[in-house]
Coordinates of all heavy atoms in Angstrom, one line a residue:
W1 N 0.9 -1.2 0.0 CA 0.0 0.0 0.0 C 0.9 1.3 0.0 O 1.8 1.3 0.7 CB -0.8 0.1 1.3 CG -2.3 0.2 1.1 CD1 -3.2 -0.6 1.8 CD2 -3.0 1.1 0.4 NE1 -4.4 -0.2 1.5 CE2 -4.4 0.9 0.7 CE3 -2.8 2.2 -0.4 CZ2 -5.4 1.6 0.1 CZ3 -3.8 2.9 -1.0 CH2 -5.1 2.6 -0.7
G2 N 0.5 2.2 -0.7 CA 1.2 3.5 -0.7 C 2.3 3.6 -1.8 O 2.9 4.7 -1.9
Q3 N 2.5 2.6 -2.5 CA 3.6 2.7 -3.6 C 2.9 3.1 -4.9 O 1.9 2.5 -5.2 CB 4.3 1.3 -3.7 CG 5.0 0.9 -2.5 CD 5.7 -0.4 -2.6 OE1 5.5 -1.1 -3.6 NE2 6.5 -0.8 -1.6
V4 N 3.6 4.0 -5.5 CA 3.1 4.5 -6.8 C 4.1 4.2 -7.8 O 5.2 4.7 -7.7 CB 2.8 6.0 -6.8 CG1 2.3 6.5 -8.1 CG2 1.7 6.4 -5.7
P5 N 3.7 3.4 -8.9 CA 4.8 3.2 -9.9 C 5.2 4.5 -10.6 O 4.4 5.4 -10.8 CB 4.0 2.3 -10.9 CG 2.8 1.8 -10.2 CD 2.5 2.7 -9.2
A6 N 6.5 4.5 -10.9 CA 7.1 5.7 -11.5 C 6.5 6.1 -12.8 O 6.4 7.3 -13.2 CB 8.6 5.6 -11.6
S7 N 5.9 5.1 -13.6 CA 5.4 5.4 -14.9 C 3.9 5.8 -14.8 O 3.3 6.1 -15.9 CB 5.6 4.2 -15.8 OG 4.9 3.1 -15.3
L8 N 3.3 5.7 -13.6 CA 1.9 6.1 -13.5 C 1.7 7.5 -13.6 O 2.3 8.3 -12.8 CB 1.3 5.5 -12.2 CG -0.2 5.8 -11.9 CD1 -1.1 5.0 -12.9 CD2 -0.5 5.5 -10.5
R9 N 0.9 8.0 -14.6 CA 0.5 9.4 -14.8 C -0.8 9.8 -14.0 O -0.7 10.8 -13.3 CB 0.4 9.7 -16.2 CG 1.7 9.5 -17.0 CD 1.5 9.9 -18.5 NE 1.3 11.3 -18.5 CZ 0.7 11.9 -19.6 NH1 0.3 11.1 -20.6 NH2 0.6 13.1 -19.6
T10 N -1.8 9.0 -14.2 CA -3.1 9.3 -13.6 C -3.8 8.1 -13.2 O -3.6 7.0 -13.8 CB -4.0 10.2 -14.4 OG1 -4.3 9.5 -15.6 CG2 -3.4 11.5 -14.8
A11 N -4.7 8.1 -12.2 CA -5.6 7.1 -11.9 C -7.0 7.8 -11.6 O -7.0 8.8 -10.9 CB -5.1 6.3 -10.7
S12 N -8.0 7.3 -12.2 CA -9.2 7.9 -12.1 C -10.4 6.8 -12.1 O -10.1 5.7 -12.6 CB -9.5 9.0 -13.1 OG -9.4 8.5 -14.4
V13 N -11.5 7.1 -11.5 CA -12.6 6.2 -11.4 C -13.9 6.8 -11.8 O -14.1 8.1 -11.5 CB -12.6 5.6 -10.0 CG1 -13.0 6.6 -9.0 CG2 -13.5 4.3 -9.9
E14 N -14.8 6.1 -12.3 CA -16.2 6.5 -12.4 C -17.1 5.3 -12.3 O -16.7 4.2 -12.5 CB -16.4 7.3 -13.7 CG -16.5 6.6 -15.0 CD -16.7 7.5 -16.2 OE1 -16.3 8.7 -16.1 OE2 -17.2 7.0 -17.2
F15 N -18.4 5.6 -12.1 CA -19.4 4.6 -12.0 C -20.4 4.6 -13.1 O -20.8 5.7 -13.5 CB -20.2 4.8 -10.6 CG -19.3 4.8 -9.5 CD1 -18.7 5.9 -9.0 CD2 -18.9 3.6 -8.9 CE1 -17.9 5.9 -7.8 CE2 -18.1 3.5 -7.8 CZ -17.6 4.7 -7.3
R16 N -20.6 3.5 -13.7 CA -21.5 3.4 -14.9 C -22.5 2.3 -14.5 O -22.3 1.2 -14.8 CB -20.7 3.0 -16.1 CG -19.7 4.0 -16.6 CD -18.9 3.5 -17.7 NE -17.8 4.5 -18.0 CZ -16.7 4.2 -18.7 NH1 -16.6 3.0 -19.3 NH2 -15.8 5.2 -19.0
G17 N -23.6 2.8 -13.9 CA -24.7 1.7 -13.4 C -24.0 1.0 -12.3 O -23.5 1.6 -11.3
N18 N -23.9 -0.3 -12.4 CA -23.4 -1.1 -11.4 C -21.9 -1.5 -11.7 O -21.4 -2.5 -11.2 CB -24.2 -2.4 -11.2 CG -24.1 -3.4 -12.3 OD1 -23.9 -3.0 -13.4 ND2 -24.5 -4.6 -12.0
E19 N -21.3 -0.8 -12.6 CA -19.9 -1.0 -13.0 C -19.0 0.1 -12.4 O -19.3 1.3 -12.5 CB -19.8 -1.0 -14.5 CG -18.3 -1.2 -15.0 CD -18.3 -1.2 -16.5 OE1 -18.9 -0.4 -17.1 OE2 -17.4 -2.0 -17.0
I20 N -17.9 -0.3 -11.8 CA -16.9 0.6 -11.3 C -15.8 0.6 -12.2 O -15.1 -0.5 -12.5 CB -16.3 0.2 -9.9 CG1 -17.5 0.0 -8.9 CG2 -15.3 1.1 -9.4 CD1 -17.2 -0.7 -7.6
V21 N -15.5 1.6 -12.9 CA -14.4 1.7 -13.9 C -13.2 2.4 -13.3 O -13.3 3.6 -12.8 CB -14.8 2.4 -15.2 CG1 -13.7 2.4 -16.2 CG2 -16.1 1.8 -15.7
L22 N -12.1 1.7 -13.2 CA -10.8 2.2 -12.7 C -9.8 2.3 -13.8 O -9.5 1.3 -14.4 CB -10.2 1.3 -11.5 CG -8.8 1.7 -11.0 CD1 -8.9 3.1 -10.4 CD2 -8.4 0.7 -10.0
Q23 N -9.4 3.5 -14.1 CA -8.5 3.7 -15.3 C -7.2 4.2 -14.8 O -7.1 5.2 -14.0 CB -9.2 4.7 -16.3 CG -8.3 5.1 -17.4 CD -8.9 6.1 -18.3 OE1 -9.8 5.8 -19.1 NE2 -8.6 7.4 -18.2
S24 N -6.2 3.5 -15.2 CA -4.8 3.9 -14.9 C -4.1 4.3 -16.2 O -4.1 3.5 -17.2 CB -4.1 2.7 -14.3 OG -4.8 2.3 -13.2
V25 N -3.4 5.4 -16.2 CA -2.7 5.8 -17.4 C -1.2 5.9 -17.1 O -0.8 6.5 -16.1 CB -3.2 7.2 -17.9 CG1 -2.4 7.7 -19.1 CG2 -4.7 7.2 -18.1
F26 N -0.4 5.2 -17.9 CA 1.0 5.1 -17.7 C 1.7 5.8 -18.8 O 1.2 5.9 -19.9 CB 1.4 3.6 -17.7 CG 0.9 2.8 -16.5 CD1 -0.3 2.2 -16.5 CD2 1.7 2.7 -15.4 CE1 -0.8 1.5 -15.5 CE2 1.2 2.0 -14.3 CZ 0.0 1.4 -14.4
N27 N 3.0 6.3 -18.5 CA 3.8 6.9 -19.5 C 4.4 5.9 -20.4 O 4.7 6.2 -21.6 CB 4.9 7.7 -18.7 CG 5.6 8.6 -19.7 OD1 4.9 9.4 -20.4 ND2 6.9 8.6 -19.6
E28 N 4.6 4.7 -20.0 CA 5.1 3.5 -20.8 C 4.5 2.3 -20.4 O 3.7 2.3 -19.4 CB 6.6 3.4 -20.5 CG 7.0 3.3 -19.1 CD 8.6 3.5 -18.8 OE1 9.1 4.2 -19.5 OE2 9.0 2.8 -17.9
T29 N 4.7 1.2 -21.1 CA 4.1 0.0 -20.9 C 4.3 -0.4 -19.4 O 5.5 -0.6 -19.0 CB 4.6 -1.1 -21.8 OG1 4.3 -0.7 -23.1 CG2 3.9 -2.4 -21.5
P30 N 3.3 -0.7 -18.6 CA 3.5 -1.0 -17.2 C 4.0 -2.4 -17.0 O 3.6 -3.3 -17.9 CB 2.1 -0.9 -16.6 CG 1.2 -1.0 -17.7 CD 1.8 -0.6 -19.0
T31 N 4.8 -2.7 -16.1 CA 5.3 -4.0 -15.7 C 4.2 -4.7 -15.0 O 3.1 -4.2 -14.6 CB 6.5 -3.9 -14.7 OG1 6.1 -3.4 -13.5 CG2 7.6 -3.1 -15.4
D32 N 4.3 -6.0 -14.8 CA 3.3 -6.8 -14.1 C 3.3 -6.4 -12.7 O 2.1 -6.3 -12.1 CB 3.7 -8.3 -14.1 CG 3.4 -8.9 -15.5 OD1 2.7 -8.3 -16.3 OD2 4.0 -10.0 -15.8
D33 N 4.3 -5.9 -12.1 CA 4.3 -5.4 -10.7 C 3.5 -4.1 -10.6 O 2.8 -3.9 -9.7 CB 5.7 -5.2 -10.2 CG 6.5 -6.6 -9.9 OD1 5.8 -7.6 -9.7 OD2 7.7 -6.5 -9.8
D34 N 3.7 -3.2 -11.7 CA 2.9 -2.0 -11.7 C 1.5 -2.3 -11.7 O 0.7 -1.6 -11.0 CB 3.3 -1.1 -12.9 CG 4.7 -0.6 -12.9 OD1 5.4 -0.6 -11.8 OD2 5.3 -0.3 -14.0
K35 N 1.1 -3.2 -12.6 CA -0.3 -3.5 -12.7 C -0.9 -4.1 -11.5 O -2.0 -3.8 -11.1 CB -0.5 -4.5 -13.9 CG -0.4 -3.9 -15.3 CD -0.8 -5.0 -16.3 CE 0.0 -4.7 -17.6 NZ -0.3 -5.8 -18.5
Q36 N -0.1 -5.0 -10.8 CA -0.5 -5.6 -9.6 C -0.9 -4.5 -8.5 O -1.8 -4.7 -7.8 CB 0.5 -6.6 -9.0 CG 0.1 -7.3 -7.8 CD -1.1 -8.2 -8.0 OE1 -1.3 -8.8 -9.1 NE2 -2.0 -8.1 -7.1
L37 N 0.0 -3.5 -8.4 CA -0.3 -2.4 -7.5 C -1.6 -1.8 -7.7 O -2.4 -1.5 -6.7 CB 0.8 -1.3 -7.5 CG 2.1 -1.8 -6.9 CD1 3.2 -0.7 -7.2 CD2 2.0 -2.0 -5.4
L38 N -2.0 -1.6 -9.0 CA -3.3 -0.9 -9.3 C -4.5 -1.9 -9.1 O -5.5 -1.5 -8.8 CB -3.2 -0.4 -10.8 CG -2.7 1.0 -10.9 CD1 -3.5 2.0 -10.2 CD2 -1.2 1.2 -10.5
Y39 N -4.2 -3.2 -9.4 CA -5.2 -4.2 -9.1 C -5.6 -4.2 -7.6 O -6.7 -4.4 -7.2 CB -4.8 -5.6 -9.5 CG -4.7 -5.9 -11.0 CD1 -3.6 -6.6 -11.4 CD2 -5.6 -5.3 -11.8 CE1 -3.5 -6.9 -12.9 CE2 -5.5 -5.6 -13.2 CZ -4.5 -6.4 -13.7 OH -4.3 -6.5 -15.0
E40 N -4.5 -4.0 -6.7 CA -4.8 -4.0 -5.3 C -5.7 -2.7 -5.0 O -6.6 -2.8 -4.2 CB -3.5 -3.9 -4.6 CG -2.8 -5.2 -4.6 CD -1.4 -5.1 -3.9 OE1 -1.2 -4.2 -3.1 OE2 -0.5 -6.0 -4.3
V41 N -5.4 -1.6 -5.6 CA -6.3 -0.4 -5.4 C -7.7 -0.7 -5.9 O -8.7 -0.4 -5.1 CB -5.7 0.7 -6.3 CG1 -6.7 1.9 -6.3 CG2 -4.3 1.2 -5.8
G42 N -7.8 -1.4 -7.0 CA -9.2 -1.7 -7.5 C -9.9 -2.7 -6.4 O -11.1 -2.5 -6.2
G43 N -9.2 -3.6 -5.8 CA -9.8 -4.4 -4.8 C -10.2 -3.7 -3.6 O -11.3 -4.0 -3.0
Y44 N -9.4 -2.7 -3.2 CA -9.9 -1.9 -2.0 C -11.1 -1.0 -2.4 O -12.0 -0.9 -1.5 CB -8.7 -0.9 -1.6 CG -7.6 -1.6 -0.8 CD1 -6.4 -1.7 -1.4 CD2 -7.8 -2.1 0.4 CE1 -5.3 -2.3 -0.6 CE2 -6.8 -2.6 1.2 CZ -5.6 -2.8 0.6 OH -4.6 -3.4 1.3
I45 N -11.2 -0.5 -3.6 CA -12.3 0.3 -4.0 C -13.6 -0.7 -4.1 O -14.6 -0.4 -3.5 CB -12.1 0.9 -5.3 CG1 -11.0 2.1 -5.1 CG2 -13.4 1.6 -5.8 CD1 -10.5 2.7 -6.5
A46 N -13.5 -1.8 -4.8 CA -14.6 -2.6 -5.0 C -15.1 -3.2 -3.6 O -16.2 -3.5 -3.5 CB -14.2 -3.8 -6.0
G47 N -14.2 -3.4 -2.7 CA -14.6 -3.9 -1.4 C -15.5 -3.1 -0.6 O -16.1 -3.6 0.3
D48 N -15.7 -1.9 -1.0 CA -16.6 -0.9 -0.3 C -17.9 -1.0 -0.9 O -18.8 -0.2 -0.4 CB -16.1 0.4 -0.4 CG -14.9 0.7 0.5 OD1 -14.7 0.0 1.6 OD2 -14.1 1.5 0.3
F49 N -18.2 -1.9 -1.9 CA -19.5 -1.9 -2.6 C -20.1 -3.3 -2.5 O -19.3 -4.3 -2.4 CB -19.3 -1.5 -4.0 CG -19.0 -0.1 -4.2 CD1 -17.7 0.4 -4.1 CD2 -19.9 1.0 -4.3 CE1 -17.3 1.7 -4.2 CE2 -19.7 2.3 -4.4 CZ -18.3 2.7 -4.4
P50 N -21.4 -3.4 -2.7 CA -22.0 -4.8 -2.7 C -21.5 -5.6 -3.8 O -21.0 -5.1 -4.9 CB -23.5 -4.5 -2.9 CG -23.8 -3.0 -2.5 CD -22.4 -2.4 -2.8
D51 N -21.7 -6.9 -3.7 CA -21.3 -7.9 -4.8 C -22.0 -7.7 -6.2 O -21.5 -8.2 -7.1 CB -21.5 -9.3 -4.4 CG -20.6 -9.6 -3.2 OD1 -19.5 -9.0 -3.0 OD2 -20.8 -10.7 -2.5
T52 N -23.0 -6.8 -6.2 CA -23.7 -6.6 -7.4 C -22.9 -5.6 -8.3 O -23.2 -5.5 -9.5 CB -25.1 -6.0 -7.2 OG1 -25.0 -4.8 -6.4 CG2 -26.0 -7.0 -6.5
Y53 N -21.8 -5.0 -7.8 CA -21.0 -4.1 -8.6 C -19.9 -4.8 -9.1 O -19.3 -5.8 -8.5 CB -20.4 -2.9 -7.7 CG -21.4 -1.9 -7.5 CD1 -22.4 -2.0 -6.4 CD2 -21.5 -0.6 -8.1 CE1 -23.4 -1.0 -6.2 CE2 -22.3 0.3 -7.9 CZ -23.3 0.2 -6.9 OH -24.2 1.2 -6.7
M54 N -19.6 -4.5 -10.4 CA -18.4 -5.2 -11.1 C -17.3 -4.2 -11.3 O -17.6 -3.0 -11.6 CB -19.0 -5.8 -12.4 CG -20.0 -6.8 -12.3 SD -20.5 -7.6 -13.9 CE -18.9 -8.2 -14.4
L55 N -16.1 -4.6 -11.2 CA -15.0 -3.8 -11.3 C -14.4 -4.0 -12.8 O -14.1 -5.1 -13.2 CB -13.9 -4.1 -10.3 CG -12.6 -3.4 -10.4 CD1 -12.9 -1.9 -10.2 CD2 -11.6 -3.9 -9.3
N56 N -14.2 -2.9 -13.5 CA -13.6 -3.0 -14.8 C -12.3 -2.1 -14.7 O -12.4 -0.9 -14.5 CB -14.5 -2.4 -15.8 CG -13.9 -2.3 -17.2 OD1 -12.9 -2.9 -17.5 ND2 -14.6 -1.7 -18.1
E57 N -11.1 -2.8 -14.8 CA -9.9 -2.1 -14.7 C -9.2 -1.9 -16.0 O -9.1 -2.8 -16.8 CB -8.9 -2.9 -13.8 CG -9.4 -2.9 -12.4 CD -8.6 -3.7 -11.5 OE1 -7.6 -3.2 -10.9 OE2 -8.8 -5.0 -11.3
I58 N -8.9 -0.6 -16.4 CA -8.3 -0.3 -17.7 C -7.0 0.3 -17.5 O -6.8 1.2 -16.7 CB -9.2 0.8 -18.4 CG1 -10.7 0.3 -18.6 CG2 -8.6 1.2 -19.7 CD1 -11.7 1.3 -18.9
H59 N -6.0 -0.3 -18.2 CA -4.6 0.3 -18.2 C -4.3 0.8 -19.5 O -4.3 0.1 -20.6 CB -3.6 -0.8 -17.8 CG -3.9 -1.5 -16.5 ND1 -3.7 -0.8 -15.3 CD2 -4.4 -2.7 -16.2 CE1 -4.0 -1.7 -14.4 NE2 -4.5 -2.8 -14.9
L60 N -4.0 2.1 -19.6 CA -3.6 2.8 -20.8 C -2.2 3.2 -20.9 O -1.7 3.6 -19.8 CB -4.6 4.0 -21.1 CG -6.1 3.8 -21.1 CD1 -6.7 5.1 -21.3 CD2 -6.5 2.9 -22.3
V61 N -1.6 3.3 -22.1 CA -0.3 3.9 -22.2 C -0.5 5.2 -23.0 O -0.8 5.1 -24.2 CB 0.7 3.0 -22.8 CG1 2.0 3.6 -23.1 CG2 0.8 1.7 -22.0
V62 N -0.2 6.3 -22.4 CA -0.2 7.6 -23.0 C 1.0 8.4 -22.7 O 1.1 8.9 -21.6 CB -1.5 8.5 -22.6 CG1 -1.5 9.8 -23.4 CG2 -2.8 7.7 -22.9
P63 N 2.0 8.4 -23.6 CA 3.3 9.0 -23.3 C 3.2 10.5 -23.2 O 2.3 11.1 -23.9 CB 4.2 8.6 -24.4 CG 3.3 8.1 -25.5 CD 2.0 7.8 -24.9
E64 N 4.0 11.1 -22.4 CA 4.1 12.6 -22.3 C 4.6 13.0 -23.7 O 5.4 12.3 -24.3 CB 5.1 13.0 -21.3 CG 4.6 12.9 -19.8 CD 5.6 13.4 -18.8 OE1 5.7 14.7 -18.8 OE2 6.2 12.6 -18.1
P65 N 4.2 14.2 -24.2 CA 3.5 15.3 -23.6 C 2.0 15.2 -23.8 O 1.2 16.1 -23.6 CB 4.1 16.5 -24.2 CG 4.4 16.1 -25.6 CD 4.9 14.6 -25.4
E66 N 1.5 14.0 -24.4 CA 0.1 14.0 -24.6 C -0.7 14.1 -23.3 O -0.3 13.6 -22.2 CB -0.3 12.6 -25.2 CG 0.2 12.5 -26.6 CD -0.1 11.2 -27.3 OE1 -1.3 10.8 -27.1 OE2 0.7 10.4 -27.8
K67 N -1.9 14.7 -23.4 CA -2.8 14.9 -22.2 C -3.3 13.5 -21.9 O -3.8 12.8 -22.7 CB -3.8 15.9 -22.5 CG -4.5 16.4 -21.2 CD -5.4 17.5 -21.6 CE -6.0 18.1 -20.3 NZ -6.8 19.3 -20.5
S68 N -3.3 13.2 -20.6 CA -3.8 11.9 -20.0 C -5.3 12.0 -20.0 O -5.9 12.9 -19.3 CB -3.2 11.7 -18.6 OG -3.7 10.5 -18.1
P69 N -6.1 11.1 -20.5 CA -7.5 11.0 -20.4 C -8.0 10.8 -19.0 O -7.3 9.9 -18.3 CB -8.0 10.0 -21.3 CG -6.8 9.0 -21.5 CD -5.6 9.9 -21.3
L70 N -9.0 11.4 -18.5 CA -9.4 11.2 -17.1 C -10.9 10.8 -17.1 O -11.7 11.2 -17.9 CB -9.3 12.6 -16.3 CG -7.9 13.1 -16.2 CD1 -8.0 14.5 -15.6 CD2 -7.0 12.2 -15.4
L71 N -11.2 10.0 -16.1 CA -12.6 9.7 -15.8 C -13.1 10.7 -14.8 O -12.5 11.7 -14.5 CB -12.7 8.3 -15.2 CG -12.3 7.2 -16.1 CD1 -12.5 5.8 -15.5 CD2 -13.1 7.1 -17.5
K72 N -14.4 10.6 -14.4 CA -15.0 11.7 -13.6 C -14.4 11.9 -12.3 O -14.3 13.1 -11.9 CB -16.5 11.2 -13.4 CG -17.3 12.2 -12.6 CD -18.7 11.8 -12.5 CE -19.5 12.9 -11.8 NZ -20.9 12.6 -11.7
N73 N -13.9 11.0 -11.6 CA -13.2 11.2 -10.2 C -11.7 10.9 -10.3 O -11.4 9.7 -10.4 CB -14.0 10.2 -9.2 CG -15.5 10.5 -9.2 OD1 -15.9 11.5 -8.7 ND2 -16.2 9.6 -9.8
L74 N -11.0 11.9 -10.1 CA -9.5 11.7 -10.1 C -9.0 11.2 -8.7 O -9.3 11.8 -7.7 CB -8.9 13.1 -10.4 CG -7.4 13.2 -10.5 CD1 -6.8 12.4 -11.6 CD2 -6.9 14.6 -10.6
L75 N -8.3 10.1 -8.8 CA -7.7 9.5 -7.6 C -6.2 10.0 -7.4 O -5.7 10.2 -6.3 CB -7.7 8.1 -7.7 CG -9.1 7.4 -7.8 CD1 -8.9 5.9 -8.0 CD2 -9.9 7.7 -6.6
Y76 N -5.4 10.1 -8.5 CA -4.0 10.4 -8.5 C -3.6 11.1 -9.7 O -4.1 10.7 -10.8 CB -3.2 9.2 -8.3 CG -1.7 9.4 -8.5 CD1 -0.9 9.9 -7.5 CD2 -1.2 9.1 -9.7 CE1 0.4 10.1 -7.6 CE2 0.2 9.3 -9.9 CZ 1.0 9.8 -8.9 OH 2.3 10.1 -9.1
Q77 N -2.8 12.1 -9.7 CA -2.2 12.7 -10.9 C -0.8 13.2 -10.5 O -0.7 13.9 -9.5 CB -3.0 13.9 -11.4 CG -2.5 14.6 -12.5 CD -3.3 15.8 -13.0 OE1 -4.4 16.0 -12.4 NE2 -2.9 16.4 -14.0
R78 N 0.1 12.7 -11.2 CA 1.5 13.2 -11.0 C 1.7 14.6 -11.5 O 1.1 14.9 -12.5 CB 2.5 12.2 -11.5 CG 2.8 12.2 -13.0 CD 3.9 11.3 -13.3 NE 4.2 11.4 -14.7 CZ 4.9 10.5 -15.4 NH1 5.5 9.5 -14.8 NH2 5.1 10.7 -16.6
Y79 N 2.7 15.3 -11.0 CA 3.0 16.7 -11.5 C 3.7 16.5 -12.9 O 4.7 15.7 -13.0 CB 3.8 17.4 -10.6 CG 4.3 18.8 -11.2 CD1 3.4 19.8 -11.3 CD2 5.6 18.9 -11.7 CE1 3.8 21.0 -11.8 CE2 5.9 20.1 -12.2 CZ 5.0 21.2 -12.3 OH 5.4 22.3 -12.9
E80 N 3.2 17.2 -13.9 CA 3.8 17.2 -15.2 C 3.8 18.7 -15.7 O 2.8 19.2 -16.0 CB 3.1 16.3 -16.2 CG 3.1 14.8 -15.8 CD 2.4 13.9 -16.7 OE1 1.8 14.4 -17.7 OE2 2.5 12.7 -16.5
K81 N 5.0 19.3 -15.7 CA 5.2 20.6 -16.0 C 4.6 21.0 -17.4 O 4.8 20.3 -18.3 CB 6.7 21.0 -16.0 CG 6.9 22.5 -16.2 CD 8.3 22.8 -16.1 CE 8.5 24.3 -16.2 NZ 10.0 24.7 -16.1
G82 N 3.7 22.1 -17.4 CA 3.2 22.5 -18.7 C 2.0 21.9 -19.1 O 1.4 22.3 -20.1
L83 N 1.4 20.9 -18.5 CA 0.2 20.2 -19.0 C -1.0 21.0 -18.5 O -2.1 21.0 -19.2 CB 0.1 18.8 -18.5 CG 1.0 17.8 -19.3 CD1 0.8 16.4 -18.9 CD2 0.8 17.9 -20.8
G84 N -1.0 21.6 -17.3 CA -2.1 22.5 -16.9 C -3.4 21.9 -16.9 O -4.3 22.4 -17.6
Y85 N -3.7 20.8 -16.3 CA -5.0 20.2 -16.2 C -6.0 21.1 -15.6 O -5.7 21.8 -14.7 CB -5.0 18.9 -15.5 CG -4.3 17.8 -16.3 CD1 -3.0 17.5 -16.2 CD2 -5.0 17.0 -17.1 CE1 -2.5 16.5 -16.9 CE2 -4.5 16.0 -17.9 CZ -3.1 15.7 -17.8 OH -2.6 14.7 -18.5

């Protein structure tokens, strides 16, 4: 808990009916360990909801300086000079 992969740019979440969508955007292809850390985050989030909710985890690669796509609720965003979100 508390470890953020160096290549993680943003993590955001939104709800679509009974679906919890967790989107992680990386600067480069994430390692299996990087993904595992985000799967753990998804587990903590999903654990707060009834079993009728489904978790959909999305891992995207969007290199800088492209703007990182965000879902409705921002969980994490690293500082990137000049992007001005």
Side-chain angles (χ1 to χ4, degrees):
W1 234 132
Q3 296 179 353
V4 177
S7 63
L8 182 65
R9 297 182 65 201
T10 61
S12 55
V13 66
E14 73 181 30
F15 301 92
R16 299 175 186 163
N18 69 337
E19 180 182 34
I20 304 165
V21 182
L22 174 61
Q23 176 180 280
S24 305
V25 180
F26 294 87
N27 194 50
E28 57 192 32
T29 302
T31 65
D32 289 341
D33 289 340
D34 293 343
K35 289 184 205 176
Q36 183 59 40
L37 288 172
L38 275 296
Y39 290 142
E40 290 175 21
V41 170
Y44 282 112
I45 292 170
D48 289 333
F49 293 87
D51 291 342
T52 56
Y53 282 79
M54 297 183 58
L55 179 63
N56 179 7
E57 297 179 84
I58 302 168
H59 302 289
L60 303 175
V61 177
V62 180
E64 286 184 71
E66 292 181 47
K67 196 169 184 175
S68 179
L70 300 174
L71 298 180
K72 185 175 182 179
N73 302 288
L74 182 63
L75 301 175
Y76 169 83
Q77 178 178 2
R78 75 177 185 192
Y79 174 76
E80 296 178 359
K81 187 176 181 179
L83 285 183
Y85 284 93

